[in-house]
Amino acid sequence: MATDEPTRTQPGKGATESPSTTGAARLEPRGWAWSLARFGYRARPTTPLRERLVPSYTDNSKYTGGGWLPCILVMLLAGFIRFWNLGKPKAVIFDETYYAKDAWSLLKLGYEGTWPDKVANDQVLNGQTDILQTQGSYIVHPPIGKWTIAVGEQIFGLTPFGWRFALAVLGTLSVLMLCRIGRRLFRSTLLGCVAGLLMALDGLHFVMSRTSLLDLVLMFWVLAAFGALLIDRDDTRTIAARMFASGPDAARAASMKFGLRPWRIVAGICLGMACGTKWSGLYVLAAFGVLSVMWDAGTRRACGARRPYRATLRHDVLFAFLATVGVAAVIYVWSWTGWLMTDGGYFRHWADDRAGLSPDHVLGVPLPQVSMTWVPAPLRSLWHYHAEMYSFHTGLETPHPYQSNPWSWLLLGRPVAYYFEKVPTGTDGCTETDCYQSVLGIGTPLLWWTGVIALGYMLFRWAARRDWRAGAILCGLAATYLPWMAFQNRTIFLFYAIAFVPFLCLAVAMMLGALLGPPGATERRRAWGTAATVAIIALIAWNFLYFYPILSGETISRSGWLDRMWFSTWI
């Protein structure tokens, strides 16, 4: 009878030692596999091609509605804590002084107008909105984020609740998106909900969801693009699984076409919205475009293509470029419609009565100049405006008390105080001599520091195990984080890191999944893994609740505030 154990005979009896095998898996005697089998080695079981292309979900309970029910519950938790007392503090905090008023200006004028200096914030808080002036204001960011803020202002007016409403909606929806993205990435509803729960309990995500700044809008569209590309990957691999139901075929794998790919176009739209919020979306556009093409090559390789990258270059790259970069470029220009269709925007008529010439250099490289007068004057004015914006961003080195070096972001070296006020005794619940109200833009420390360990695990999984999931997470994090390393002298802030918080949470969730134990683990291993995972999530939840008063503007005693300043750089 054939067994999985190597057959052993007594040495010197003239018999040949060889492991017992069956069928095509028969091992050659005295080969390397035979030698390893003597020590208990077993080759990995062959996974069917369809399962390699489109792995099954580990939990498809009919009671969860395809995983939607637990994801929605996590979203509702996130929404509750983000909308609770959303209008507090009743103040214009940090850069809301720019974006809340710019959003209102877009609603009324179609472009960013000007406001009276110094007194505008107080007048706005008192309900006076007729102080907006029609003269164009010089702005340095595209308009999508401000149009997003304007949605809440259109519904609720120019009030703290109004200009924070849309951000709270996006913050809540992004938690739901991350749950679904994590479920698709890990094939586990549990791990998807863990990723979403972690982001719901992140301090920086919480604060940015309750403040009308642009960076959460950027994060939302980056995450949406990542999710769309994941769906596109699954769709194309499902098509490949049907085409190769009988097994791999090198010739067909090299020449197959995937047809129309709507989710890749959706990703291009989302990336255009990201670039239309902040230019840092350009790095994500480039990285995700390459990631999607690499996934195509992986699909062809799994189906048997001998030269998958050559086949991908021939059949996929052009269409991928048009669906991502091409679509994103159209969306970006469209985002400037308000400025183009009105007359009062800053630099709007710069090109009028000017002879158009092409740039004489790009990135320091000298170029011959040609006439560009054939380009409509509004588009030439928009180009000039962008050149001025670029000069501003590259030359921004004005010191700021809360600026930080990107090397310190993962460790939360220098958070940003969005709001800080002393509260007199007897008011707003203050029962001690000194009380404060503050909004500190800081991530939940235990989550971020666990994230540092998780990133090390991602590097191991990607480099040593070739785990595509770890590679995807690292790609998203690298595209949203590493570009800032090139701006060591520029004035930048920790809250820019909100763009990579979803990928940090995915990394922690994947690490916790490994901590839970593989499918074949013993009950004892599962029990210890579950206990450790629950303990880590509980500590992160406690850490968020502990910092909640200084994240939400609640009244807190001076001693309580100082207890939460764990490092001098947080003050």
Side-chain angles (χ1 to χ4, degrees):
M1 181 177 65
T3 68
D4 289 336
E5 295 296 329
T7 301
R8 301 179 184 273
T9 61
Q10 294 295 325
K13 299 295 184 181
T16 300
E17 296 179 12
S18 65
S20 177
T21 58
T22 60
R26 187 179 304 279
L27 302 179
E28 293 295 333
R30 303 298 183 184
W32 65 269
W34 174 87
S35 301
L36 290 175
R38 295 187 63 191
F39 296 95
Y41 170 79
R42 299 290 177 272
R44 291 183 180 179
T46 302
T47 304
L49 178 60
R50 179 175 182 82
E51 187 65 19
R52 283 193 290 138
L53 288 172
V54 191
S56 303
Y57 287 89
T58 59
D59 43 7
N60 272 324
S61 172
K62 62 181 180 180
Y63 301 108
T64 64
W68 278 101
L69 180 58
C71 293
I72 289 174
L73 291 176
V74 174
M75 179 197 71
L76 291 176
L77 171 65
F80 176 76
I81 59 179
R82 278 153 180 77
F83 277 95
W84 183 261
N85 283 334
L86 181 60
K88 184 179 180 179
K90 187 179 180 182
V92 180
I93 66 175
F94 201 59
D95 281 354
E96 285 184 343
T97 188
Y98 304 116
Y99 305 127
K101 291 181 291 187
D102 284 347
W104 185 260
S105 179
L106 287 175
L107 274 179
K108 301 303 178 182
L109 304 176
Y111 61 89
E112 294 86 346
T114 54
W115 299 77
D117 292 336
K118 299 181 180 179
V119 298
N121 289 349
D122 293 334
Q123 291 174 309
V124 166
L125 290 172
N126 289 329
Q128 188 175 349
T129 60
D130 58 356
I131 54 176
L132 173 63
Q133 301 168 3
T134 58
Q135 180 181 353
S137 175
Y138 177 64
I139 54 92
V140 294
H141 292 297
I144 288 293
K146 287 165 281 188
W147 278 113
T148 304
I149 296 169
V151 172
E153 294 178 342
Q154 175 68 27
I155 301 172
F156 299 104
L158 189 58
T159 64
F161 185 89
W163 63 62
R164 294 168 191 160
F165 175 80
L167 276 298
V169 171
L170 293 190
T172 302
L173 290 177
S174 67
V175 171
L176 175 63
M177 276 201 304
L178 189 63
C179 289
R180 299 301 297 178
I181 287 170
R183 181 179 187 269
R184 185 175 292 271
L185 188 66
F186 305 130
R187 286 321 201 238
S188 167
T189 302
L190 174 63
L191 292 184
C193 289
V194 166
L197 179 63
L198 292 174
M199 193 160 77
L201 298 175
D202 176 57
L204 185 61
H205 188 274
F206 171 81
V207 170
M208 296 298 288
S209 299
R210 295 166 54 89
T211 311
S212 59
L213 272 65
L214 305 181
D215 299 82
L216 186 114
V217 183
L218 170 67
M219 182 277 298
F220 178 86
W221 290 114
V222 167
L223 183 60
F226 185 74
L229 288 178
L230 273 179
I231 298 174
D232 173 73
R233 181 183 186 274
D234 275 359
D235 285 352
T236 55
R237 291 171 82 89
T238 300
I239 293 171
R242 288 198 299 264
M243 292 174 63
F244 294 87
S246 58
D249 184 314
R252 292 178 61 204
S255 61
M256 67 175 170
K257 295 179 174 60
F258 297 114
L260 182 65
R261 300 172 66 168
W263 282 105
R264 184 179 265 176
I265 296 174
V266 170
I269 294 171
C270 294
L271 291 168
M273 298 292 279
C275 295
T277 302
K278 272 194 164 185
W279 283 356
S280 50
L282 288 169
Y283 300 109
V284 183
L285 173 61
F288 282 6
V290 173
L291 178 67
S292 180
V293 170
M294 296 296 287
W295 283 348
D296 286 350
T299 301
R300 293 182 183 276
R301 181 175 58 244
C303 293
R306 294 190 177 92
R307 295 180 176 87
Y309 295 103
R310 178 184 296 182
T312 299
L313 184 64
R314 181 182 303 167
H315 297 292
D316 302 322
V317 168
L318 176 60
F319 295 106
F321 180 84
L322 293 175
T324 53
V325 178
V327 171
V330 172
I331 294 297
Y332 182 82
V333 175
W334 167 81
S335 73
W336 287 88
T337 300
W339 186 89
L340 290 167
M341 299 300 291
T342 56
D343 291 321
Y346 201 85
F347 279 137
R348 172 60 181 78
H349 294 285
W350 176 87
D352 292 0
D353 303 321
R354 289 176 183 260
L357 289 175
S358 64
D360 59 358
H361 68 279
V362 173
L363 299 177
V365 179
L367 297 173
Q369 289 187 295
V370 297
S371 174
M372 299 294 290
T373 307
W374 57 273
V375 177
L379 292 179
R380 287 190 283 125
S381 296
L382 184 62
W383 178 269
H384 174 74
Y385 199 172
H386 278 63
E388 293 297 315
M389 291 163 62
Y390 178 79
S391 297
F392 170 85
H393 286 298
T394 54
L396 182 60
E397 298 181 0
T398 305
H400 192 284
Y402 291 107
Q403 71 183 72
S404 59
N405 191 292
W407 287 105
S408 70
W409 288 355
L410 286 173
L411 299 177
L412 302 173
R414 182 59 170 162
V416 179
Y418 290 177
Y419 175 80
F420 184 87
E421 287 290 333
K422 291 184 177 181
V423 180
T425 303
T427 61
D428 282 335
C430 178
T431 59
E432 299 190 14
T433 304
D434 292 317
C435 294
Y436 299 146
Q437 289 179 349
S438 74
V439 176
L440 185 67
I442 186 173
T444 302
L446 293 185
L447 171 59
W448 283 58
W449 298 340
T450 303
V452 174
I453 301 172
L455 292 180
Y457 177 67
M458 292 301 101
L459 288 170
F460 165 76
R461 290 294 307 180
W462 178 61
R465 294 289 185 264
R466 312 306 298 169
D467 192 324
W468 73 271
R469 302 169 302 172
I473 293 170
L474 289 172
C475 177
L477 191 137
T480 50
Y481 180 32
L482 293 185
W484 294 111
M485 297 296 184
F487 300 98
Q488 293 294 310
N489 296 322
R490 191 187 154 185
T491 308
I492 52 181
F493 303 91
L494 173 64
F495 64 81
Y496 295 175
I498 185 62
F500 66 69
V501 166
F503 303 102
L504 194 72
C505 293
L506 286 172
V508 174
M510 184 171 172
M511 183 181 71
L512 293 179
L515 187 61
L516 283 171
T522 64
E523 289 188 13
R524 180 181 177 85
R525 168 68 177 82
R526 282 281 190 176
W528 280 106
T530 300
T533 299
V534 170
I536 291 172
I537 296 174
L539 284 172
I540 290 171
W542 164 82
N543 201 208
F544 172 76
L545 293 174
Y546 179 71
F547 278 87
Y548 180 83
I550 64 172
L551 302 172
S552 58
E554 297 291 328
T555 301
I556 187 172
S557 66
R558 182 177 185 274
S559 61
W561 181 82
L562 287 173
D563 287 342
R564 289 160 176 81
M565 298 296 105
W566 287 358
F567 302 99
S568 60
T569 56
W570 290 9
I571 299 177

